[in-house]
């Protein structure tokens, strides 16, 4: 993992060698170094609290004593956490089209098709057991890690303990930190606990608590190795979707054309979702397919699902641009990662891989 030289709590003075500006650099650095030293010290003082919470949650003394003394504060993960959109609730929403072009691109589609064809036997068995379409499992894998290519290089216990210490989402990160220790208790080697700055790891980018609950052994060798085994990765994604309520036989959604005359005020969402309100607030009211058809909404490619299937309308770039009707299965993709752009791109990549 690379860290910016000026951002290391352990070597804060490295910057003065780079700047060459002598006293000025030291004057600028002084308050920063002091803050970094405070964080490093505060983190060490906080570790016994985390250790006590882990012990109370049933983690073995052996694991706690092996891991906690090795941890140091990681300012980089805190910096990344503060860049997240939910830290800036009033930031403008960017356009979907450029995001789609980056995430549902020719390379990802081509390689997704190759994975789809290569793993066909395995995928079809998982689809039979779970009802989750093969292409959706492939698309999640493609989006999360570019089919296992990019799985993150952050040490998870260190990253999660740093985020718990920082405190913006302390409960979440404390629970996930404890879950990493439980993974060690279960026999996962310490050196495997590497992933994204926010604690997700392996091909499906599961959080530790999700791994404990839903990781599956897809190739039958007795372990759920979502780092190295494609079969385990895909079976685990399938298990996640079943757990989150995927309904077999219903598409995630599809592109539609919407009459320019449709009065959007009549279909505006008037409820606030307790979960991801900003994301779900961009979607319309839920209506049946029969009701959408009566409003003049026309599918661009796929046939309609049954008339009684409920769906919501999303026009991510506003009226006159791409529009989608989304079913309850779209909500399952949002459960995996609550972002409209993410969920739309997963659905569109799945369709492209299958085509
Ligand atoms: Ca396995």
């Amino acid at each position: 993992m690379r860290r910016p030289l000026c951002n290391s709590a352990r070597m804060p003075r490295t910057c003065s060698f780079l700047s060459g500006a002598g006293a000025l650099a030291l004057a600028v650095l002084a308050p920063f170094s002091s803050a970094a030293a405070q964080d490093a010290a505060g983190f060490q003082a906080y570790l016994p609290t985390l250790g006590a919470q882990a012990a109370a949650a049933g983690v073995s003394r052996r694991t706690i004593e092996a891991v906690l003394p090795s941890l140091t504060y990681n300012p980089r993960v805190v910096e990344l956490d503060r860049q997240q959109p939910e830290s800036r609730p009033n930031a403008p929403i960017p356009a979907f089209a450029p995001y789609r072009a980056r995430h549902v691109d020719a390379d990802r589609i081509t390689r997704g098709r190759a994975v789809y064809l290569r793993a066909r036997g395995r995928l079809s068995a998982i689809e039979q057991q779970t009802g989750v379409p093969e292409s959706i499992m492939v698309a999640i894998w493609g989006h999360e890690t570019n089919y296992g290519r990019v799985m993150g290089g952050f040490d998870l216990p260190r990253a999660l303990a740093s985020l718990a210490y920082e405190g913006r989402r302390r409960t979440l990160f404390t629970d996930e930190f404890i879950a990493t220790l439980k993974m060690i208790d279960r026999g996962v080697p310490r050196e495997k606990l590497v992933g994204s700055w926010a604690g997700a790891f392996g091909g499906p980018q599961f959080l530790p608590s999700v791994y404990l609950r839903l990781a599956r052994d897809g190739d039958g060798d007795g372990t759920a190795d979502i780092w190295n085994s494609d079969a385990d990765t895909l079976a685990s994604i399938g298990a996640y979707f079943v757990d989150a309520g995927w309904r077999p036989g219903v598409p995630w959604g599809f592109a539609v054309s919407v009459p320019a005359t449709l009065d959007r005020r009549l279909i505006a969402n008037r409820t606030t979702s307790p979960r991801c309100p900003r994301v779900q607030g961009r979607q319309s009211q839920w209506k049946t397919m029969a009701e959408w058809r009566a409003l003049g909404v026309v599918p661009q490619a796929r046939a309609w699902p049954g008339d009684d299937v409920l769906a919501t309308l999303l026009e991510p770039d506003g009226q006159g641009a791409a529009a989608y009707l989304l079913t309850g299965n779209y909500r399952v993709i949002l459960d995996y990662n609550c972002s409209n752009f993410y969920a739309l791109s997963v659905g569109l990549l799945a369709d492209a891989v299958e085509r």
Side-chain angles (χ1 to χ4, degrees):
M1 178 189 69
R2 288 187 54 192
R3 285 184 293 170
L5 286 171
C6 297
N7 209 15
S8 164
R10 303 179 73 179
M11 298 192 301
R13 285 178 184 275
T14 310
C15 293
S16 63
F17 297 120
L18 292 181
S19 73
L24 178 61
L26 286 174
V28 170
L29 272 167
F32 178 81
S33 302
S34 153
Q38 267 179 22
D39 274 337
F43 177 77
Q44 292 302 325
Y46 184 67
L47 281 177
T49 305
L50 277 180
Q53 287 173 301
V59 175
S60 73
R61 180 58 57 191
R62 190 167 49 108
T63 295
I64 293 170
E65 287 174 359
V67 175
L68 266 69
S70 72
L71 299 180
T72 55
Y73 181 61
N74 187 342
R76 177 67 182 145
V77 299
V78 171
E79 186 186 315
L80 288 166
D81 186 49
R82 288 178 180 158
Q83 290 167 8
Q84 289 305 291
E86 67 267 20
S87 301
R88 298 175 283 113
N90 298 319
I93 295 170
F96 175 57
Y99 179 97
R100 174 180 177 164
R102 281 197 311 277
H103 289 81
V104 191
D105 59 309
D107 178 60
R108 211 177 298 234
I109 293 169
T110 304
R111 292 195 304 109
R113 279 195 189 128
V115 170
Y116 184 65
L117 294 173
R118 190 179 72 224
R120 205 68 211 276
R122 185 87 63 188
L123 281 164
S124 115
I126 300 170
E127 177 170 348
Q128 278 183 2
Q129 286 163 14
T130 61
V132 181
E134 302 166 29
S135 57
I136 289 281
M137 292 182 268
V138 169
I140 290 280
W141 194 23
H143 264 76
E144 290 296 335
T145 56
N146 217 339
Y147 312 105
R149 282 188 174 183
V150 186
M151 296 196 278
F154 288 84
D155 178 69
L156 296 177
R158 181 181 182 220
L160 291 164
S162 296
L163 291 164
Y165 162 70
E166 189 268 347
R168 186 170 76 85
R169 292 184 284 173
R170 176 162 287 167
T171 305
L172 167 73
F173 289 123
T174 299
D175 290 350
E176 295 303 337
F177 173 74
I178 291 170
T180 62
L181 301 183
K182 288 186 174 176
M183 287 173 65
I184 296 173
D185 271 351
R186 274 202 197 175
V188 175
R190 170 76 176 81
E191 61 272 18
K192 280 209 169 187
L193 296 177
V194 173
S196 80
W197 64 268
F201 60 89
Q205 292 286 285
F206 277 1
L207 286 171
S209 63
V210 176
Y211 177 89
L212 290 173
R213 210 158 52 84
L214 295 170
R216 295 286 183 271
D217 174 20
D219 56 19
D221 72 349
T223 62
D225 183 357
I226 63 170
W227 296 266
N228 299 305
S229 163
D230 296 358
D232 292 4
T233 291
L234 293 164
S236 299
I237 292 170
Y240 186 100
F241 272 68
V242 170
D243 183 72
W246 183 272
R247 283 183 61 198
V250 177
W252 63 271
F254 42 84
V256 291
S257 52
V258 183
T261 52
L262 177 65
D263 186 345
R264 268 53 169 202
R265 286 170 303 181
L266 297 178
I267 59 166
N269 188 349
R270 294 192 204 90
T271 59
T272 304
S273 165
R275 196 155 182 276
C276 303
R278 195 163 182 243
V279 167
Q280 308 214 6
R282 297 191 69 202
Q283 301 160 13
S284 76
Q285 290 171 28
W286 289 82
K287 293 186 177 299
T288 65
M289 291 295 163
E291 288 170 328
W292 285 119
R293 197 167 49 217
L295 288 169
V297 174
V298 179
Q300 287 183 353
R302 289 176 175 243
W304 292 93
D307 270 1
D308 57 342
V309 170
L310 285 162
T312 179
L313 179 72
L314 177 62
E315 297 175 286
D317 290 338
Q319 294 181 28
Y324 303 92
L325 276 185
L326 310 164
T327 72
N329 281 342
Y330 179 83
R331 290 267 165 116
V332 175
I333 307 176
L334 286 179
D335 191 274
Y336 206 96
N337 185 347
C338 197
S339 150
N340 279 311
F341 287 9
Y342 174 89
L344 280 173
S345 296
V346 163
L348 292 167
L349 179 62
D351 290 351
V353 161
E354 213 173 56
R355 210 167 281 137

